[in-house]
Amino acid sequence: MTRSEAILEAVSLRKVFHTGGVFSRKEVIAADDVSLALRPRHAVALVGQSGSGKSTVIRMLAKLYDPTAGAILYEGEDVTTKRKRRDIFDYRSKVQMIFQDPFGSLNSTQKIDYHLRRPLRLHGKVKNARDERLRIGELLERVSLTPVDEFAKKYPHQLSGGQRQRVAIARALAIEPRVILADEPVSMLDVSIRISILNLLIKLRDEENIAFLFVTHDLSSARYFSDEILIMHKGKIVERGVSAEVIENPQDDYTRLLLSSIADPSRVF
Amino acid sequence: MNYLLRRLGFYLIAALLAIVINFFLPRMMAGDPVDVMLAGFDTSSLTPEAIDQLREAFGFIDAPLPEQFATYVSNLLKGNFGVSVARYPTKVVDILGVALRWTLLMTGTALILTFSVGVLLGIQAAWKRGGFVDTYVLPFGAIMGAIPYFWVALIALYVFALQLGWFPLGRAEASGIPADWTNPNYVMGVVYHLALPVLTLLIAGFRSWMMGMRNNMVAVIAQDYITMAIAKGLPDRRIKYQYAARNAILPSLTGFALALGFLLGGSLLTEVVFSYPGVGLTLLNAVNTRDYPVMQGIFLILTLMVLLANFIADSLYILLDPRTRS
Amino acid sequence: MTVSQPAAPPKRSPGLWASLPDWVATLLSNPRAMAGLLILLALVLVAVFAPQIAPYQPDRIVARRDLPPSSEHVLGTTSLGQDVFSQMVFGTRISLAVGFATGTLVVLIAMTIGITSGLVGGRVDNVVSMIVNVVLVIPQLPLIIVIASWARNTGPITIILVLAATGWAFGARVLRAQALALRNSEHITSARLIGEPIWRIVFFEMLPSMISLVAAAWIGAVIFAILSQAALEFIGLGDPAVVSWGTILYWAQNNTALISGRWWTFVPPGLAIATVGLALTLINYSIDEITNPRLRRIRIPKDAMRKPESRPREEPSEQGGLVQIRGLNVDYWTATGPVRAADNVSFDIRPNEVFGLAGESGCGKSTVAYAISRLHFPPAIISGGRIFVDGQDVLAIPDKQLNKFRWDAVSMVFQSAMNSLNPVITIGEQFVDVIQAHRDMDRKAALERGRELLEMVELDPDLIDSYPHQLSGGMRQRVVIAIALALNPKLLIMDEPTTALDVVVERQILQRVKVLQREFGFSILFITHDLSLLIEFSDRIGIMYAGELVEVAPAKALYTDPQHPYTRLLMNAFPSIHDDRTGRYGIEGTPPDLRTPPTGCRFHPRCDVAIAGLCEVVVPPVVSTGDRLARCHLLSEEYAERAVK
């Protein structure tokens, strides 16, 4: 694998949340000294249990949270402090996100084509109505929602969880991003269809040169999908490396504990 | 304790807001407020000193606003709510003193009754879906919520007092018996006069507790700890009260302020209908004579009472919910 | 294309209104809502056509004073000699106008404040929500009276303004809470991420999801306005020259109509107000039912509800297991009829064994577990089959004796550890109540037993005095397991007991359970969708698909040699940790909708080895070989014969 330039980099990101009301304030360090780099056609998995801070990291990278310290670099340019609407819009035209809950991430009052038409129009990807229709069809085809005309006219509640997640992926693709941040994209789906969503993401990574950050609590799917695994524990990255290496030869105690906790029938039989 | 302190701070802010409203309302109207106040009265009986005294009580002094406000608040803190213009020179506090006792008696009794009846019916409605309470009492309550309190009182007075003669037509005490709380006859008279107004308040007012409690119960019954309690084979009574109702009543207590506000409004109007000598009747007289100092005094005192009642409800909440104690 | 065309004029986006048809259709199909709407419509018509309906001018003196109702004056006359009926008809105008105008104004204010506050969040929201709560805590009627009396000119417009100024807070609180919840939802975040402008987020993303709340807030505000208007006018704060229901009451009260028994002046206005209120309440009730499915009632025919104990008793088979499930059917009743969530399920759980039950969400695995403890309540009904636990016919136990049966022979650990414990009583209480419900033991001994049980699950026995919220998720689940073992049950059901937990905690807890199981010799029914975990943890495994049990086999046999195509595909459908990353693929399609299950074999539309002409037509037989069974045509002799030919 040739090691290409990083598109998106996190440098020593730190996030401190203040909880409590006006009278009692507490500090919670959600993420501390987190660094990672995303490259085209490369997937990085950020693995951690609930409360490990992995969701905080992905939200900082999506510019939904401002980091307390550290920097986010897009193609080497520091975008950490860019808060103007226009700048954030430009950033998100390159960096998109997919969520965990396929039931919650779509607008239940709008048909599927609306979810694709909006990003296409907002980001000036289509010239006219005909073009728009073609693009929507093409996007649905790319995520295997066929026949496209039928799916375009359906409401989210008429789709299964896996199909909805495909719509969410198509919506992100509509913007033609270079980076996709995926927040537990399969953990709420039926077991039988998880792999097909992961396979779809793999296909997109390879065919469209998209850089992926894959946040998950599940080491097995992290290994399946990603080239590189970062293990996060209590806000810090405790181990990082090439996927197979991390799993077959873990260095950190927490990683070892995590690995020994994962069910593995091949160990028993 | 942290929780109570926070609530206390909140009520102080609420009290301050009520004072601010009271202070600014007269100043927002066109013309000199004291002139407005006195507009309907024969001012010949008032000496210029008396008028100045009025001005001062409301902080209408020749000074910038903050100073006026300070004067007003310091008067309030001294218990000086001004003097009535209709019954000059009686102090507002003195007019309210007696009336307040009757209102406390009526509203307090009604509060306890509506709360207990409403909560129990709400528990029952949610616990036995399709049962008597759920099928008949709940829709009845819903309809009662859309009828003016005072109209229920009017009808009750007409039917039970005027036509049937079961209850007195008005007032709070039996005539001819001197006010003496150690005299059972006197107390009986008070209870007799209190009964119909309180019953109308109960009929018109239990619904807000019932609806709230029922909706909370329905939500709580769907919780996993209820399923687990059933699976544990606990007696129904224990599940119903210790598991479901104990949890469902908590949001009811946080909605206490709203329900109390409605009840208080209802009870003021009920007093008017029953000529019950409480704050409501005093307020009506003040409205009719445009006695602003009395009206504003009543507003402020009632607000403070409601805040106090809410604070008591909050303290109760702490006893019932261990999560607020940590 | 050579010339770039200008963008075609965008079609009007349905936006806010797209959500209406569905919603309105549901509302209109509700008879109560329909009745409410019709009453309201009738009243509006009365208001509009008042001059045509009323026989007299409302303020004109047309007859003698205080006339009782007659054919001439349907509702009699007032103390001035005006026609009460005409006043009522004209009064509809002012009362409805004030009600609707105030309601609309209140909702607009509430929406602006609530949504802005919820959307902006942070400090702004803190301050706004405090102000809202402060306004709510101030008693409304006295405040309205004070404001109205200072306003002096108290015509309808003033009343509208005063009521709007005091009545907005309740709606604002409700809408703000909803806006806040929506703001943090993935759906709004997604819209922000694709770059939707704020105004579109508000009008196209948030408002459509809030429309039922807004409607409810509007109705509530209209009721509030009509009642408050009547109250204000009744005590003389309205303009007595304006004819409205409230002023009719005012004049009635002032002219001692009550004492003189002239009911016709004070009964009609109250009834009119009540009618408006009733109509609005009916609509609100229906909105409540539509948005809160828990309040909806499902009609279930009487014969479906027949008590299980009325069926003839049966004896369990001698050589069967501790638990014997035979032909179990469970139906969930919906508005369109029953849906069979567990269909003809039969299996045994042997003494001292861990039986695993796996399948995707909605396959019926939890449904089976709940049936064993008789935990199904309408709209779920056990409609057929038998369950024997330790020789006892569970479905034949009369309702009154159910409490004795539950937890004693069969106890259960539920999916959500976080929520299985009563949050307002101590852990100790929750041991004491279950022990005392089943055993003759005093409080002290029961608490002592509780401490012992806590130690068994490796918790500090002093936790007995704590409340659930003081414990972590893993600790709470240990407490639940301890409670489950309190009565030495024969069977412990664990329904996805660790899904919400960390894998590390999950493993520790399961290992402990396994140790206790060996020590005390109870059986476990272990339910999860995590097949790897199940294979490691169980002795035998059952696989469910679309309500049916499709395969049962010892764990090792299932792992090394799955017989049913679904089991095989499912095992291939998730990566294992030491995977070489090739040859993994999901199962085509999605689990079927149980309202319309596929014909023949339920798995045939997704099966990679389905036999055309057979699998979609004929229900496959259950084929049992040795220690295992599977429901598939490929295993049947009939098919084998055919294949040979």
Side-chain angles (χ1 to χ4, degrees):
Chain A
M1 204 194 321
T2 54
R3 198 175 164 82
S4 53
E5 278 294 296
I7 318 177
L8 188 62
E9 271 180 277
V11 184
S12 289
L13 284 184
R14 176 183 168 89
K15 179 72 186 174
V16 180
F17 285 111
H18 298 273
T19 59
V22 189
F23 298 101
S24 58
R25 293 183 79 80
K26 259 193 254 166
E27 279 197 352
V28 178
I29 301 169
D32 188 21
D33 195 19
V34 173
S35 300
L36 55 88
L38 305 177
R39 299 181 179 80
R41 217 179 160 180
H42 186 83
V44 174
L46 189 59
V47 183
Q49 301 302 308
S50 56
S52 62
K54 58 189 194 303
S55 300
T56 307
V57 172
I58 202 170
R59 279 174 165 69
M60 284 192 281
L61 287 173
K63 287 193 78 67
L64 290 169
Y65 294 163
D66 282 330
T68 312
I72 297 169
L73 307 180
Y74 182 80
E75 289 189 320
E77 188 196 355
D78 190 344
V79 293
T80 328
T81 52
K82 292 200 168 171
R83 289 196 190 84
K84 275 196 223 121
R85 265 196 71 78
R86 191 69 232 170
D87 292 335
I88 288 182
F89 186 86
D90 287 345
Y91 178 75
R92 286 180 183 155
S93 71
K94 303 291 174 211
V95 181
Q96 274 294 310
M97 184 164 167
I98 304 168
F99 291 93
Q100 176 176 21
D101 181 6
F103 298 87
S105 69
L106 303 180
N107 183 343
S108 56
T109 61
Q110 298 285 3
K111 291 181 182 146
I112 300 310
D113 58 355
Y114 173 89
H115 292 86
L116 305 180
R117 191 188 316 127
R118 288 307 304 164
L120 287 173
R121 283 195 188 167
L122 282 165
H123 293 263
K125 301 290 183 191
V126 284
K127 293 194 204 74
N128 52 45
R130 208 179 81 93
D131 197 12
E132 186 176 282
R133 218 172 31 250
L134 286 175
R135 278 291 289 154
I136 290 175
E138 194 187 85
L139 283 167
L140 287 172
E141 210 155 292
R142 257 157 80 198
V143 296
S144 311
L145 288 178
T146 49
V148 291
D149 293 332
E150 200 178 294
F151 276 101
K153 290 295 161 212
K154 284 190 174 181
Y155 282 101
H157 67 87
Q158 295 169 304
L159 268 51
S160 70
Q163 290 169 336
R164 271 181 269 206
Q165 199 61 303
R166 286 171 190 270
V167 174
I169 292 169
R171 173 173 57 189
L173 287 178
I175 293 171
E176 299 168 28
R178 298 190 59 204
V179 179
I180 288 183
L181 309 168
D183 188 7
E184 300 256 17
V186 296
S187 67
M188 285 181 76
L189 301 177
D190 272 329
V191 191
S192 67
I193 47 182
R194 285 185 188 174
I195 276 279
S196 35
I197 296 289
L198 288 181
N199 286 345
L200 170 66
L201 295 179
I202 290 173
K203 190 182 88 178
L204 295 174
R205 178 194 65 191
D206 293 346
E207 291 177 2
E208 328 234 344
N209 286 331
I210 293 174
F212 269 97
L213 178 66
F214 177 55
V215 162
T216 180
H217 68 279
D218 176 26
L219 259 176
S220 310
S221 52
R223 169 163 195 190
Y224 184 80
F225 176 60
S226 339
D227 308 283
E228 193 182 335
I229 287 179
L230 312 182
I231 307 280
M232 210 170 163
H233 182 50
K234 293 185 175 165
K236 289 197 162 146
I237 288 175
V238 295
E239 177 149 11
R240 64 172 78 215
V242 174
S243 296
E245 192 62 24
V246 168
I247 284 165
E248 304 306 338
N249 188 16
Q251 299 301 310
D252 180 77
D253 286 344
Y254 178 74
T255 314
R256 274 196 283 267
L257 178 64
L258 204 57
L259 277 165
S260 69
S261 300
I262 289 170
D264 178 16
S266 65
R267 195 163 49 193
V268 190
F269 301 119
Chain B
M1 278 312 101
N2 212 331
Y3 174 78
L4 266 193
L5 275 180
R6 269 208 312 268
R7 297 304 296 168
L8 197 65
F10 171 76
Y11 293 126
L12 283 179
I13 292 170
L16 194 67
L17 180 80
I19 293 171
V20 168
I21 291 176
N22 243 356
F23 175 75
F24 275 106
L25 259 183
R27 284 168 179 78
M28 278 164 66
M29 307 298 155
D32 181 79
V34 175
D35 290 346
V36 173
M37 272 187 197
L38 300 177
F41 297 98
D42 175 14
T43 43
S44 59
S45 66
L46 291 180
T47 59
E49 292 82 50
I51 292 175
D52 282 347
Q53 206 186 334
L54 260 179
R55 278 184 196 283
E56 180 154 2
F58 285 89
F60 294 125
I61 46 175
D62 227 359
L65 267 186
E67 207 172 307
Q68 292 185 21
F69 187 67
T71 317
Y72 180 61
V73 172
S74 78
N75 278 334
L76 287 183
L77 288 179
K78 280 181 253 163
N80 178 4
F81 287 71
V83 287
S84 160
V85 284
R87 287 162 63 187
Y88 186 82
T90 321
K91 283 187 179 153
V92 172
V93 187
D94 293 335
I95 293 179
L96 282 186
V98 188
L100 202 56
R101 264 174 260 163
W102 291 116
T103 296
L104 274 177
L105 178 67
M106 180 152 109
T107 313
T109 317
L111 178 64
I112 293 165
L113 265 178
T114 49
F115 178 80
S116 344
V117 171
V119 163
L120 284 174
L121 286 172
I123 294 174
Q124 196 58 30
W127 193 250
K128 268 199 106 174
R129 304 298 296 278
F132 178 80
V133 178
D134 190 31
T135 322
Y136 300 104
V137 183
L138 209 66
F140 173 75
I143 295 169
M144 290 312 291
I147 300 179
Y149 266 112
F150 64 90
W151 189 70
V152 176
L154 276 173
I155 299 299
L157 186 67
Y158 180 69
V159 175
F160 296 106
L162 196 73
Q163 299 293 325
L164 297 172
W166 294 352
F167 294 97
L169 274 168
R171 305 196 319 138
E173 302 152 295
S175 52
I177 307 175
D180 174 11
W181 287 94
T182 54
N183 177 357
N185 284 335
Y186 176 75
V187 174
M188 280 308 292
V190 168
V191 171
Y192 181 52
H193 282 78
L194 190 64
L196 193 57
V198 165
L199 281 178
T200 61
L201 281 173
L202 175 63
I203 293 294
F206 72 92
R207 70 166 289 278
S208 57
W209 299 108
M210 179 179 71
M211 292 305 221
M213 190 63 190
R214 176 259 198 165
N215 286 350
N216 301 338
M217 276 291 279
V218 169
V220 165
I221 285 172
Q223 294 291 317
D224 295 305
Y225 52 81
I226 299 295
T227 318
M228 168 130 165
I230 296 169
K232 276 162 88 177
L234 299 183
D236 274 13
R237 280 182 58 86
R238 182 157 176 94
I239 302 174
K240 184 173 170 186
Y241 294 106
Q242 277 297 307
Y243 278 71
R246 262 297 297 276
N247 282 288
I249 204 163
L250 297 174
S252 282
L253 284 178
T254 54
F256 184 84
L258 221 55
L260 179 60
F262 283 134
L263 182 72
L264 184 69
S267 104
L268 294 181
L269 293 168
T270 305
E271 284 179 12
V272 170
V273 173
F274 284 91
S275 321
Y276 200 82
V279 173
L281 204 60
T282 315
L283 186 59
L284 179 77
N285 292 331
V287 166
N288 285 337
T289 53
R290 302 277 145 162
D291 195 342
Y292 289 99
V294 173
M295 273 189 265
Q296 293 202 282
I298 288 176
F299 166 65
L300 212 53
I301 297 254
L302 289 180
T303 303
L304 294 179
M305 272 172 47
V306 165
L307 295 183
L308 186 70
N310 274 298
F311 189 63
I312 294 170
D314 283 337
S315 317
L316 208 63
Y317 192 99
I318 292 193
L319 285 182
L320 288 176
D321 190 351
R323 284 164 292 191
T324 56
R325 273 175 251 157
S326 53
Chain C
M1 252 195 290
T2 47
V3 189
S4 76
Q5 289 178 352
K11 274 185 228 137
R12 207 176 67 83
S13 303
L16 184 57
W17 307 112
S19 59
L20 276 180
D22 248 14
W23 196 74
V24 170
T26 327
L27 196 62
L28 292 185
S29 66
N30 185 318
R32 273 195 282 208
M34 211 46 214
L37 284 170
L38 285 179
I39 298 175
L40 216 53
L41 184 70
L43 285 165
V44 169
L45 288 178
V46 168
V48 171
F49 295 108
Q52 282 75 36
I53 295 170
Y56 305 97
Q57 283 293 311
D59 43 4
R60 184 85 47 84
I61 291 163
V62 291
R64 282 198 298 118
R65 315 164 31 180
D66 297 332
L67 284 179
S70 62
S71 57
E72 189 84 346
H73 300 283
V74 197
L75 290 175
T77 60
T78 67
S79 297
L80 285 175
Q82 300 142 320
D83 181 57
V84 176
F85 177 69
S86 301
Q87 289 203 326
M88 285 297 302
V89 170
F90 274 93
T92 314
R93 289 186 153 186
I94 296 292
S95 294
L96 284 190
V98 170
F100 290 163
T102 311
T104 310
L105 204 54
V106 161
V107 166
L108 284 179
I109 299 173
M111 247 163 51
T112 314
I113 292 179
I115 293 179
T116 313
S117 173
L119 203 60
V120 175
R123 251 158 245 263
V124 175
D125 179 52
N126 279 344
V127 172
V128 171
S129 65
M130 194 178 72
I131 293 174
V132 168
N133 286 327
V134 164
V135 172
L136 279 176
V137 87
I138 290 177
Q140 215 158 29
L141 192 71
L143 177 63
I144 294 173
I145 290 175
V146 170
I147 299 181
S149 62
W150 273 105
R152 277 173 290 163
N153 158 29
T154 42
I157 303 285
T158 314
I159 291 188
I160 291 173
L161 293 177
V162 170
L163 292 181
T166 52
W168 58 273
F170 186 70
R173 181 163 79 168
V174 175
L175 294 176
R176 174 217 157 238
Q178 179 74 2
L180 198 64
L182 275 174
R183 185 178 91 111
N184 298 326
S185 75
E186 296 189 345
H187 146 219
I188 299 296
T189 314
S190 302
R192 279 168 64 200
L193 283 174
I194 62 163
E196 289 281 17
I198 295 288
W199 69 270
R200 274 197 77 101
I201 289 184
V202 170
F203 288 100
F204 286 76
E205 308 291 332
M206 294 182 107
L207 277 182
S209 318
M210 298 170 78
I211 196 118
S212 63
L213 270 185
V214 172
W218 183 80
I219 289 176
V222 173
I223 296 181
F224 153 79
I226 289 180
L227 293 185
S228 309
Q229 180 200 8
L232 280 184
E233 290 173 337
F234 176 66
I235 61 169
L237 270 174
D239 179 354
V242 170
V243 177
S244 75
W245 296 337
T247 49
I248 300 176
L249 281 169
Y250 168 75
W251 286 115
Q253 170 82 354
N254 258 21
N255 295 318
T256 60
L258 190 91
I259 304 297
S260 352
R262 293 196 303 275
W263 56 269
W264 56 89
T265 50
F266 64 86
V267 171
L271 285 181
I273 295 170
T275 309
V276 179
L278 176 69
L280 292 168
T281 307
L282 281 173
I283 300 171
N284 229 359
Y285 226 63
S286 319
I287 295 179
D288 247 12
E289 262 180 36
I290 291 165
T291 49
N292 188 353
R294 271 201 288 259
L295 298 180
R296 236 175 281 170
R297 250 180 249 142
I298 307 246
R299 273 176 213 295
I300 302 171
K302 276 252 156 56
D303 56 328
M305 294 273 283
R306 87 196 132 104
K307 293 268 186 274
E309 68 251 32
S310 63
R311 294 179 213 142
R313 288 189 86 87
E314 233 177 70
E315 292 304 314
S317 77
E318 284 293 318
Q319 66 274 48
L322 170 78
V323 178
Q324 301 178 23
I325 298 174
R326 299 282 170 266
L328 178 69
N329 290 338
V330 181
D331 293 340
Y332 281 90
W333 283 79
T334 65
T336 51
V339 171
R340 186 143 292 183
D343 196 350
N344 197 12
V345 173
S346 305
F347 65 91
D348 281 15
I349 301 172
R350 297 168 189 161
N352 206 0
E353 112 173 314
V354 180
F355 187 91
L357 200 53
E360 295 172 79
S361 51
C363 71
K365 51 192 195 300
S366 295
T367 304
V368 170
Y370 274 54
I372 299 175
S373 281
R374 286 273 301 272
L375 279 176
H376 284 300
F377 300 99
I381 285 171
I382 299 175
S383 54
R386 294 276 160 191
I387 298 172
F388 300 101
V389 173
D390 202 19
Q392 191 175 14
D393 186 345
V394 173
L395 299 187
I397 300 171
D399 282 353
K400 283 197 176 129
Q401 290 163 35
L402 263 181
N403 280 347
K404 281 278 155 248
F405 161 74
R406 288 179 179 144
W407 219 257
D408 211 336
V410 181
S411 66
M412 194 158 171
V413 176
F414 293 91
Q415 203 170 89
S416 37
M418 299 309 227
N419 307 320
S420 298
L421 295 170
N422 185 348
V424 297
I425 60 179
T426 60
I427 306 293
E429 282 304 315
Q430 303 186 51
F431 275 107
V432 170
D433 62 16
V434 71
I435 292 173
Q436 289 192 331
H438 294 273
R439 302 277 185 270
D440 191 16
M441 199 187 274
D442 67 20
R443 201 187 142 73
K444 219 178 139 209
L447 278 174
E448 202 37 56
R449 169 87 179 129
R451 296 174 68 93
E452 204 178 292
L453 287 158
L454 286 179
E455 266 184 322
M456 262 164 53
V457 294
E458 296 174 318
L459 284 178
D460 178 355
D462 290 339
L463 287 179
I464 198 105
D465 293 322
S466 23
Y467 288 95
H469 73 273
Q470 296 167 316
L471 275 56
S472 72
M475 287 159 92
R476 277 185 239 179
Q477 195 61 303
R478 282 172 193 267
V479 169
V480 172
I481 291 167
I483 294 176
L485 298 179
L487 306 173
N488 292 318
K490 300 234 164 40
L491 174 71
L492 173 66
I493 299 174
M494 297 172 69
D495 184 9
E496 307 239 13
T498 48
T499 3
L501 302 176
D502 214 277
V503 282
V504 178
V505 178
E506 170 182 74
R507 164 102 352 197
Q508 289 163 348
I509 291 182
L510 289 181
Q511 276 169 348
R512 186 67 203 162
V513 168
K514 194 98 189 193
V515 168
L516 292 170
Q517 188 243 347
R518 286 205 200 99
E519 192 179 331
F520 295 99
F522 51 88
S523 298
I524 295 177
L525 173 59
F526 183 53
I527 295 171
T528 175
H529 62 269
D530 185 345
L531 209 46
S532 305
L533 183 66
L534 202 67
I535 290 167
E536 246 193 76
F537 191 67
S538 318
D539 301 314
R540 290 193 309 137
I541 289 173
I543 305 285
M544 286 190 75
Y545 182 76
E548 294 179 332
L549 191 65
V550 296
E551 179 161 7
V552 177
K556 187 177 179 185
L558 191 95
Y559 177 65
T560 52
D561 174 30
Q563 285 188 334
H564 197 282
Y566 176 63
T567 314
R568 174 173 47 78
L569 289 170
L570 197 59
M571 292 226 278
N572 188 55
F574 55 86
S576 109
I577 187 73
H578 299 292
D579 205 14
D580 55 1
R581 299 175 54 163
T582 50
R584 296 284 178 196
Y585 46 89
I587 308 179
E588 288 288 309
T590 49
D593 182 347
L594 287 177
R595 279 172 295 191
T596 50
T599 53
C601 171
R602 292 190 176 174
F603 187 61
H604 84 260
R606 304 176 72 190
C607 186
D608 57 347
V609 291
I611 308 155
L614 176 66
C615 292
E616 73 270 31
V617 186
V618 185
V619 175
V622 176
V623 182
S624 84
T625 43
D627 202 15
R628 53 195 302 184
L629 54 87
R631 184 190 275 262
C632 179
H633 285 298
L634 286 168
L635 305 170
S636 70
E637 281 172 28
E638 213 176 303
Y639 172 74
E641 277 165 24
R642 235 199 280 181
V644 170
K645 282 172 198 161

